[in-house]
């Protein structure tokens, strides 16, 4: 097992002690620190001026009450968060997640990951993340709107085009961004399009933003496969989830010649050996806001729905976990390896447990960590900011071409960094080190702030 360098151990212990109980945050920090031993050996300066300690401490954490009224006239209370993690490279940037599991530790892990991910894109964006323990499931449109308005009533004082630019994440899509942008505009009396990304096209959104995370993951994994002389062509692919990331991962993988045979939601998974009809998944999830079990009902015969269970039991060549954190465990990894998986690409944030990552790496499975493979979403958000700043709107082709170029650059940067640090093919190390060095260099230049 990889261990944290002895010079970094006190830093990790301090993070664990000062952020008690925040398991996902601990996991994310430990994983990055495990990669940094070799960096401080090469550049001892980083260890001397508490750069790593500073990087592990969010610049600002905002926690607030979100009161709202449901359709029955009852007052409901949720907790809102925005963790502004690091602004060395640009305004804080990162999504907002609405899910009952949200707590400060989850938002901190996401904000920490986002900082390095955003650095990897090469765009001028810092890292942040926000959200609420609100569950949008089974809520009416009017309830969603009132919740988003209440959330933004507090959040608006902390964000801005040059300050912090939120976007979507789990439970927050185009509809929620619209309601939040409307409330921001009303409260500030400013048409500040660049304050949020993931907007719809008709009021300042970017073409290809909706597709970008999934498309980007497919571009990254294809490039990774190509380093070994492979491609998606004819490969069996399993994509967990059926939300925004999963849907557009499936679309691009299919375009690249792969055969997606399974996807899932939190209730179960569906297998279709003739190839998942992603347009139907899109209609069920985006159009009707339904459950994935409907897929098998509509398709009948060749599709089967498995309630509960693990989607990773389905044999495949490429696995793309695109649902949520820690969804792919050590046990799942062993099954995937036994079934001959050759590559794993994280579409979600930290979906693979540390034990599972280790099993994949030991078995020689190509492994693309989320902070590199899923950076296409936030990279295209930065392209949306560019378009807003220049009051321009690019074509789909132009935007997708930029996205593809960025993903290839991220891939090549991670691969080159892994090689430079003595472990060719270790994309985890490559992504952590390359992302860290960019943030650290900027922080160092800005002095102790
Ligand atoms: N929530 C997405 C992520 O995890 C996108 C963030 C953004 O576009 O700002 O990277």
């Amino acid at each position: 097992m990889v261990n944290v360098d002895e010079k970094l151990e006190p830093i990790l212990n301090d993070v664990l002690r000062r952020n008690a109980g925040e398991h996902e945050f601990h996991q994310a920090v430990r994983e990055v620190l495990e990669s940094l031993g070799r960096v401080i050996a090469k550049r001892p300066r980083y260890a001397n001026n508490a750069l790593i300690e500073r990087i592990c401490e969010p610049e600002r954490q905002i926690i607030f009450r979100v009161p709202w009224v449901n359709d029955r006239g009852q007052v409901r209370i949720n907790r809102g968060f925005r963790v502004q993690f690091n602004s060395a490279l640009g305004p804080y940037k990162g999504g907002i997640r609405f899910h009952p599991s949200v707590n400060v530790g989850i938002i901190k892990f996401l904000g920490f990951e986002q900082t390095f991910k955003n650095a990897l894109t090469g765009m001028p964006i810092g890292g942040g993340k926000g959200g609420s323990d609100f569950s949008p499931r089974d809520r009416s449109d009017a309830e969603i709107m009132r919740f988003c308005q209440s959330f933004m009533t507090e959040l608006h004082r902390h964000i801005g085009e040059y300050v912090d630019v939120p976007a979507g994440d789990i439970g927050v899509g185009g509809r929620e961004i619209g309601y939040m942008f409307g409330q921001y505009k009303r409260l500030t009396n400013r048409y500040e399009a660049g304050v949020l990304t993931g907007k719809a096209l008709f009021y300042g959104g970017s073409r290809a933003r909706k597709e970008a995370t999934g498309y980007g993951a497919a571009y990254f994994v294809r490039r990774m496969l190509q380093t070994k002389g492979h491609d998606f062509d004819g490969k069996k692919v399993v994509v967990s989830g059926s939300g925004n990331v999963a849907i557009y991962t499936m679309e691009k993988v299919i375009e690249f010649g792969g055969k997606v045979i399974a996807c899932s939601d939190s209730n179960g998974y569906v297998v279709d050996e003739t190839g998942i009809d992603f347009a139907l998944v899109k209609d069920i999830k985006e159009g009707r806001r339904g459950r994935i079990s409907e897929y098998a009902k509509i398709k009948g015969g060749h599709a089967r729905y498995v309630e509960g269970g693990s989607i990773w039991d389905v044999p495949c060549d490429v696995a793309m976990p695109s649902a949520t954190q820690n969804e792919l465990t050590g046990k799942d990894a062993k099954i995937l390896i036994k079934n001959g998986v050759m590559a794993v690409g994280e579409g979600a944030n930290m979906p693979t447990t540390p034990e599972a990552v280790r099993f994949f790496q030991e078995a020689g499975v190509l492994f693309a960590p989320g902070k590199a493979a899923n950076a296409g979403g936030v990279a295209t958000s930065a392209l949306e900011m560019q378009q807003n700043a220049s009051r321009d709107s690019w074509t789909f082709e132009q935007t997708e071409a930029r996205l593809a170029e960025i993903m290839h650059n991220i891939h090549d940067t991670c691969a080159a960094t892994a090689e430079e640090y003595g472990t060719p093919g270790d994309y985890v190390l490559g992504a952590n080190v390359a992302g860290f060095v960019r943030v650290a260099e900027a922080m160092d230049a800005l002095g102790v702030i």
Side-chain angles (χ1 to χ4, degrees), residues 73-327:
Q74 296 162 322
V75 176
R76 290 285 170 258
I77 298 296
N78 284 96
R79 190 171 290 175
F81 303 90
R82 186 72 185 167
V83 173
Q84 299 180 327
F85 222 106
N86 194 298
S87 62
L89 292 173
Y92 309 106
K93 181 84 198 85
I96 289 175
R97 176 178 291 192
F98 291 164
H99 191 270
S101 65
V102 163
N103 56 43
V104 71
I106 298 244
I107 299 298
K108 273 159 74 177
F109 118 63
L110 290 164
F112 184 76
E113 291 282 294
Q114 196 82 45
T115 300
F116 302 105
K117 181 197 310 194
N118 294 4
L120 282 173
T121 67
M123 318 292 281
I125 42 179
K129 204 86 185 192
S132 175
D133 57 359
F134 171 74
S135 172
R137 174 98 67 94
D138 299 326
R139 289 288 168 207
S140 72
D141 205 69
E143 288 176 319
I144 299 278
M145 183 179 76
R146 288 194 296 273
F147 180 80
C148 288
Q149 290 176 338
S150 180
F151 186 82
M152 185 52 83
T153 299
E154 172 59 33
L155 188 68
H156 87 280
R157 22 177 153 262
H158 309 290
I159 63 174
E161 184 184 355
Y162 297 106
V163 180
D164 183 355
V165 182
D169 197 81
I170 293 172
V172 177
R175 171 179 59 167
E176 292 75 17
I177 292 292
Y179 293 147
M180 286 193 269
F181 182 69
Q183 184 73 350
Y184 182 85
K185 187 173 82 61
R186 188 172 189 206
L187 287 165
T188 59
N189 195 29
R190 284 162 64 91
Y191 205 108
E192 190 185 332
V195 69
L196 289 173
T197 61
K199 302 182 293 296
L201 291 184
F202 42 85
Y203 70 92
S206 170
R207 291 191 177 79
R209 172 61 190 91
K210 191 170 66 166
E211 295 82 357
T213 313
Y215 279 19
Y219 276 112
F220 190 104
V221 171
R222 186 170 68 153
R223 188 124 172 140
M224 183 170 76
L225 288 168
Q226 285 168 344
T227 64
K228 299 281 181 225
H230 296 289
D231 205 322
F232 271 117
D233 243 9
K235 298 276 182 312
K236 283 192 176 185
V237 183
V238 168
V239 179
S240 65
S242 49
N244 171 269
V245 179
I247 288 172
Y248 295 102
T249 297
M250 292 193 251
E251 182 177 34
K252 204 39 103 184
V253 165
I254 294 166
E255 196 188 305
F256 286 157
K259 191 171 181 190
V260 179
I261 51 165
C263 67
S264 62
D265 64 17
S266 54
N267 291 96
Y269 64 93
V270 52
V271 186
D272 186 344
E273 293 287 349
T274 65
I276 291 279
D277 175 352
F278 92 90
L280 177 59
V281 176
K282 195 171 154 182
D283 180 53
I284 293 169
K285 300 304 278 194
E286 277 185 0
R288 291 182 249 165
R289 297 184 190 278
R291 306 303 297 167
I292 205 66
S293 55
E294 290 166 37
Y295 182 97
K297 276 191 207 124
I298 295 166
K299 283 280 169 183
H302 49 80
R304 68 190 162 87
Y305 172 68
V306 182
E307 178 91 23
S310 168
I311 191 172
W312 309 118
D313 291 345
V314 180
C316 61
D317 303 306
V318 180
M320 300 199 56
S322 308
T324 195
Q325 66 270 1
N326 292 328
E327 56 160 306

